[in-house]
Amino acid sequence: MGLDISYQALPVHAPFFSWATSDPDMGEQLQFLSWVFQHSREEREELRTRPRLHRERLLDEVDRLLAMDPQLTRRALSPGRHWDMLNYLLSGARSGDDADGDDLGDIAVRGEASMGPYAVASQGNSLCWTKPETVRIVSEWLRGLSNSDLAKQFDAKRMTEAGVYKMREDADNGLRDQVLQDIDGLRLFYADAAQAGYGVLVCLL
């Protein structure tokens, strides 16, 4: 078992925000949102044959949004357990360096703010939301970063001492390259979300 992170781009007109702030039952369902989007129509219909409390409302909303934008199935990203390694490389505060103004690296990885009091994953982590205007800023910021510069910050010993999740002091360049590929994925994901005018839901669970 471990903590994995996932990202889902979403339009702001979805009802998920009212669920997060006023509906405890549906707020809890939001942790499954990106997972449901990744299912084919046939798989989502099969999920309906195995009913769970409140899931049908979630499936109905996913179907409604996909009818409006079928590309939502690919407007997602799952770097898994590398999230804290990403955060260390991108966030000045996480790596121990001073962060000037808003820590865009931390926002890119962890999200801008809690989505609401009822949007909480099973492990107790708040689901976070980054609004569309911030997504555009983050996208521009990520585009300006150099992977070669980020690679120089990947110091397994320092990262282990900093308590970076799932980091090992004997980690080799293979892990570094995987994390840099995740940053490439994050860069492409935010560029696509920004172009669509969407916000981003961040789930750590």
Side-chain angles (χ1 to χ4, degrees):
M1 296 294 290
L3 291 173
D4 295 88
I5 204 163
S6 65
Y7 304 87
Q8 178 68 54
L10 292 169
V12 295
H13 58 72
F16 307 130
F17 310 98
S18 63
W19 294 356
T21 56
S22 61
D23 190 329
D25 294 325
M26 293 310 300
E28 186 179 17
Q29 290 293 311
L30 292 175
Q31 64 185 302
F32 305 115
L33 190 59
S34 185
W35 174 75
V36 173
F37 269 115
Q38 304 316 304
H39 284 65
S40 67
R41 178 181 293 276
E42 292 75 17
E43 289 169 330
R44 293 196 305 277
E45 287 304 314
E46 199 275 333
L47 282 174
R48 291 180 185 276
T49 69
R50 297 183 280 126
R52 290 190 179 183
L53 193 62
H54 311 298
R55 180 163 296 175
E56 189 161 348
R57 284 178 64 192
L58 183 68
L59 290 165
D60 287 344
E61 188 56 32
V62 166
D63 285 344
R64 186 185 74 83
L65 289 174
L66 286 174
M68 298 173 62
D69 181 5
Q71 298 303 313
L72 282 168
T73 57
R74 68 166 184 80
R75 290 187 162 131
L77 184 70
S78 299
R81 297 179 187 177
H82 290 169
W83 55 272
D84 204 20
M85 301 176 199
L86 296 175
N87 207 27
Y88 183 93
L89 295 185
L90 296 175
S91 166
R94 179 65 183 92
S95 63
D97 297 328
D98 290 334
D100 295 327
D102 292 333
D103 189 346
L104 293 177
D106 188 66
I107 292 173
V109 177
R110 300 293 300 270
E112 186 174 17
S114 170
M115 199 173 187
Y118 300 120
V120 179
S122 302
Q123 293 87 342
N125 295 312
S126 294
L127 276 59
C128 290
W129 172 253
T130 303
K131 56 185 181 290
E133 50 268 39
T134 306
V135 167
R136 289 191 291 272
I137 294 169
V138 168
S139 176
E140 288 293 326
W141 179 79
L142 286 171
R143 188 166 60 179
L145 297 180
S146 162
N147 275 19
S148 60
D149 290 339
L150 293 172
K152 296 173 185 175
Q153 300 177 38
F154 192 96
D155 184 320
K157 184 174 187 298
R158 286 186 61 193
M159 292 169 75
T160 303
E161 290 171 350
V164 171
Y165 187 68
K166 296 295 183 181
M167 192 63 204
R168 308 183 315 274
E169 191 169 333
D170 61 350
D172 59 17
N173 288 344
L175 178 59
R176 180 202 63 191
D177 292 344
Q178 290 176 32
V179 174
L180 291 174
Q181 288 176 11
D182 289 332
I183 290 175
D184 286 336
L186 199 68
R187 190 179 286 119
L188 291 171
F189 168 79
Y190 272 99
D192 181 74
Q195 184 175 23
Y198 288 171
V200 171
L201 173 66
V202 183
C203 301
L204 181 63
L205 66 154

